[in-house]
Amino acid sequence: MTQDAAVATAASRRLSLEEIVSYCRRRGFIYQASEIYGGINGFWDFGPMGAELKRNIKQTWWEDMVTRHNPLVAPAGTPSPFEMTGIDSSIIQHPQTWRVSGHSDLFSDMMVDCHETKKRYRFDHLAGRWIKDREGNPLFIAAAPDAPDADAFLDQRARKLLGISKSREVVWDSPLTDLAELDDFANVLAPHASEKGTLTEPREFNLMFKTYIGAMQTAADAAFLRPETAQGIFLNFRNVLDSGRFALPLGIAQIGKSFRNEITPRHFIFRSREFEQMEMEFFCPPETSHQWYKYWQQRRLDWYLDLGLRRENIRVREHEASELSHYALGTTDIEYAYPFMADGEFGELEGIANRGAFDLNSHSMGRLAKADPPELALDENGAPLHRGSGKNMVYNDVARGEKYVPYVIEPAAGADRALLAFLCDALEIEKLGEGGGEDSERAVLHIHPRLAPVKAAIFPLVKKEGMPEAARDLFGAMKRKWNVTYDEKGSIGRRYRRADEVGVPVCITIDDETISQGTVTVRDRDTLEQQRIKLDDCPAYLDKLIEG
RNA sequence: GCGGGUAUAGCUUAGUGGUAAAGCUCCAGCCUUCCAAGCUGGCUAUGCGGGUUCGAUUCCCGCUACCCGCUCCA
């Protein structure tokens, strides 16, 4: 850190991603998974500090979303009071869950990529016809899978490419042929390309981790690690309603691990293959859904701001209609200016979506195709593509005197991304101009006390005159309620710096006045200011610091 | 997935075809009464696997991981 500080020119500065990674490793926040075996791409382990920080982030989210919620009062801007609760569902669910949700189709197929246009096609959706090019060489023109009329599309492509006038008929050398019947793609012209031979070999493209239930491991036993926690909530919607005496509007929250076989894990823990989500599904009457959507956008933004993220580093971005997922009526991203993003660019922190009744209807009727309103996806025989459970998802709203399938607002946050954002935002190298005349730097993590891995550090000023004994007594008492540390090694200044670097909000120092008058000094991490308080007031002081 | 770069101690660096060096950190001891003091001592490293060589941390090949730029991102 001395080296880093030496290149600092401003009064304080933010760190690069490499410096953040180095810091996380050095101070016990995050290590590369399986590091002693050379590491494993896309996986990370949380060390002593990181585990505490992540636990605090999750706990703060859970408290603010679920346990501290008052269901008797309607917050400003909402149509009504509402209830909040939580579940913890299984990582492995019935495979039909992912077929109906759309994740199987989207996440697992043989795909071919086009080098030229960068488009990706499902291998089994591509077909085309053979023809002779201008030099008389064989050329396979592939049709766009989404073209309404493949023959018309192919004729048009051939006329344009080979200069065949409208008065002449296009003469093909073959009927419509699946790409799968070709030995290689060297003579294949991709649907949107200008040159042939731009397609890759078909590659399996499965973003869900596959496993097997039972020891036999046959194809019929295949199961998947969840790619999102949300579906576990939809599957249990009826259970929660039936067993909990809840009425809508109702939010069901869940925190847990999810798994995606990302093609390119990147940027430290920003995109990893195993990650933790904090998701909530808010079930409400359809006609109020937009109002709730707006409410949750603001409330989720406020959560990050209240916990100290700088406003200038956060952006709220509403998706364009063309960006929307197959299920969403509206989606807003809360984005953060991560240090690996270019200046002025932001990366996703949390998404808030209005999913309509898509999920509940899907799990009732079967996989829905994107349409307005959504309709059942059918296979070539007209049967449902993926059958739903057949269970009734209609809610009988006695208070409103109507029955409906609830609409769902989903704030879906990444716990790891939140952790990364809080770290990046809070970590600074500060230049302290004063102090003995020489330039002095300190690394300090200005993390919110609620999130701080260690809440307080307790020091005896020196190791004599009864100070260690008094400090240990205080430490023992505080430890019952908070994660506090005791340190008597090194000079007092060195101990302050060590505490600053891992974001300890306050250092409590025992000195000779503690022994004679029962007072201690509390030193603030951010202002460096000290004040003297009564020894007995330490718990109340810390409680106020954390909870405000 | 493509291209470029990197890999020596916990961190930041040095160096060498023949016993791997330093500063910081950390630990122990002495000292120390409020912001990284000082003294003494100590622990700890060439990412993994091949090849060339009498001998490889150094040269070559492969792999892995990380960083940067594209690509992708339910």
Side-chain angles (χ1 to χ4, degrees):
Chain A
M1 198 46 65
T2 311
Q3 295 288 330
D4 297 340
V7 298
T9 51
S12 66
R13 66 179 181 94
R14 300 181 69 199
L15 284 78
S16 70
L17 182 62
E18 270 194 278
E19 289 169 319
I20 300 270
V21 172
S22 174
Y23 163 87
C24 284
R25 170 186 163 68
R26 188 158 37 85
R27 301 317 308 248
F29 283 86
I30 301 167
Y31 317 120
Q32 197 170 42
S34 303
E35 192 192 73
I36 64 169
Y37 288 113
I40 180 164
N41 185 276
F43 298 91
W44 301 91
D45 291 341
F46 288 83
M49 287 293 144
E52 283 295 327
L53 175 56
K54 194 169 173 187
R55 201 175 63 80
N56 290 342
I57 289 171
K58 290 188 289 184
Q59 183 177 325
T60 298
W61 185 89
W62 191 265
E63 286 172 355
D64 291 345
M65 296 295 272
V66 181
T67 59
R68 293 186 183 181
H69 174 68
N70 182 346
L72 305 179
V73 180
T78 61
S80 68
F82 57 94
E83 301 200 72
M84 294 291 294
T85 190
I87 65 167
D88 186 356
S89 71
S90 179
I91 286 174
I92 292 178
Q93 300 285 355
H94 193 289
Q96 194 69 7
T97 303
W98 313 114
R99 298 191 189 105
V100 165
S101 70
H103 288 93
S104 292
D105 289 345
L106 284 167
F107 276 36
S108 60
D109 277 300
M110 296 296 279
M111 307 293 282
V112 293
D113 289 324
C114 176
H115 291 310
E116 181 186 331
T117 64
K118 306 302 181 190
K119 286 182 183 297
R120 173 169 288 152
Y121 305 97
R122 273 183 64 167
F123 181 47
D124 61 355
H125 282 187
L126 285 182
R129 300 178 75 168
W130 286 103
I131 200 168
K132 298 272 193 307
D133 69 12
R134 289 169 191 248
E135 283 82 43
N137 297 316
L139 177 68
F140 186 92
I141 301 181
D146 52 357
D149 183 342
D151 281 330
F153 179 90
L154 289 173
D155 277 6
Q156 196 187 350
R157 288 276 280 166
R159 284 182 195 284
K160 192 170 179 186
L161 283 155
L162 306 177
I164 303 170
S165 67
K166 285 188 179 171
S167 57
R168 289 168 51 206
E169 191 152 330
V170 180
V171 181
W172 294 96
D173 294 342
S174 80
L176 200 63
T177 306
D178 284 342
L179 202 66
E181 294 180 26
L182 274 55
D183 293 330
D184 67 70
F185 304 154
N187 293 316
V188 173
L189 179 72
H192 304 93
S194 62
E195 290 179 37
K196 65 180 185 178
T198 61
L199 289 181
T200 64
E201 289 296 299
R203 290 178 289 210
E204 186 157 18
F205 190 76
N206 191 338
L207 261 56
M208 282 200 292
F209 277 92
K210 194 176 191 175
T211 186
Y212 296 91
I213 298 171
M216 297 303 289
Q217 307 219 335
T218 66
D221 299 322
F224 300 91
L225 307 190
R226 65 181 176 201
E228 64 173 31
T229 59
Q231 296 303 321
I233 299 176
F234 296 126
L235 299 187
N236 285 292
F237 171 64
R238 285 244 60 105
N239 283 339
V240 172
L241 274 189
D242 294 345
S243 60
R245 295 183 64 227
F246 292 108
L248 265 49
L250 167 67
I252 304 177
Q254 169 159 236
I255 296 175
K257 288 281 181 83
S258 290
F259 303 82
R260 291 180 196 173
N261 236 329
E262 296 287 355
I263 302 164
T264 314
R266 266 291 172 86
H267 300 318
F268 198 30
I269 59 171
F270 179 77
R271 177 172 295 114
S272 53
R273 291 186 164 126
E274 174 176 340
F275 57 102
E276 199 146 19
Q277 293 183 297
M278 307 186 291
E279 294 195 299
M280 191 272 285
E281 308 300 324
F282 189 81
F283 300 89
C284 63
E287 61 269 30
T288 62
S289 72
H290 189 70
Q291 210 176 338
W292 287 113
Y293 173 54
K294 289 294 173 190
Y295 167 73
W296 282 109
Q297 281 179 19
Q298 186 62 47
R299 181 156 160 197
R300 292 305 306 150
L301 172 64
D302 289 343
W303 190 73
Y304 292 103
L305 297 176
D306 290 345
L307 288 170
L309 285 196
R310 293 168 223 219
R311 187 63 187 86
E312 67 268 26
N313 288 337
I314 302 187
R315 182 173 80 174
V316 177
R317 190 178 69 86
E318 184 116 23
H319 283 210
E320 304 289 329
S322 60
E323 277 184 278
L324 291 179
S325 311
H326 60 285
Y327 51 74
L329 300 175
T331 299
T332 298
D333 281 348
I334 296 176
E335 300 181 324
Y336 181 75
Y338 296 98
F340 50 80
M341 309 295 298
D343 276 352
E345 290 191 15
F346 293 72
E348 187 182 335
L349 183 56
E350 170 164 351
I352 297 114
N354 184 346
R355 299 174 71 123
F358 185 89
D359 303 275
L360 290 178
N361 276 332
S362 292
H363 284 301
S364 177
M365 302 188 289
R367 167 79 195 284
L368 299 181
K370 186 172 187 178
D372 190 21
E375 54 193 34
L376 207 55
L378 303 175
D379 65 16
E380 50 266 29
N381 300 319
L385 186 59
H386 297 302
R387 294 169 58 88
S389 66
K391 303 296 183 197
N392 181 14
M393 298 295 180
V394 173
Y395 175 71
N396 185 2
D397 193 329
V398 179
R400 296 172 70 94
E402 55 184 348
K403 296 182 180 181
Y404 52 84
V405 177
Y407 272 33
V408 174
I409 310 303
E410 177 193 81
D416 309 88
R417 288 183 178 185
L419 187 149
L420 184 58
F422 283 124
L423 267 184
C424 294
D425 215 61
L427 187 58
E428 276 189 338
I429 306 295
E430 285 185 354
K431 259 206 192 309
L432 306 174
E434 302 164 25
E438 57 185 291
D439 284 340
S440 159
E441 301 90 9
R442 67 164 186 159
V444 54
L445 184 70
H446 296 288
I447 193 102
H448 190 286
R450 261 183 105 185
L451 302 180
V454 175
K455 302 304 187 191
I458 297 163
F459 307 143
L461 187 56
V462 288
K463 277 190 286 186
K464 58 184 183 186
E465 294 170 20
M467 294 179 202
E469 292 75 9
R472 285 169 195 216
D473 286 347
L474 178 62
F475 172 70
M478 301 282 277
K479 196 86 170 106
R480 295 171 61 88
K481 189 166 176 189
W482 294 286
N483 188 32
V484 296
T485 57
Y486 172 80
D487 193 357
E488 60 179 33
K489 296 182 176 75
S491 73
I492 191 70
R494 177 184 295 272
R495 282 177 274 164
Y496 285 150
R497 295 294 175 89
R498 273 198 287 252
D500 290 339
E501 198 175 1
V502 293
V504 181
V506 62
C507 295
I508 304 172
T509 301
I510 306 297
D511 56 18
D512 52 0
E513 286 185 46
T514 309
I515 312 300
S516 62
Q517 298 172 30
T519 60
V520 299
T521 59
V522 290
R523 176 264 196 189
D524 185 90
R525 174 196 68 198
D526 300 327
T527 65
L528 302 180
E529 285 170 6
Q530 297 184 29
Q531 56 174 303
R532 189 159 278 280
I533 67 170
K534 288 179 187 161
L535 180 63
D536 295 341
D537 289 343
C538 285
Y541 180 89
L542 190 56
D543 197 55
K544 185 167 188 306
L545 187 73
I546 294 168
E547 291 298 338

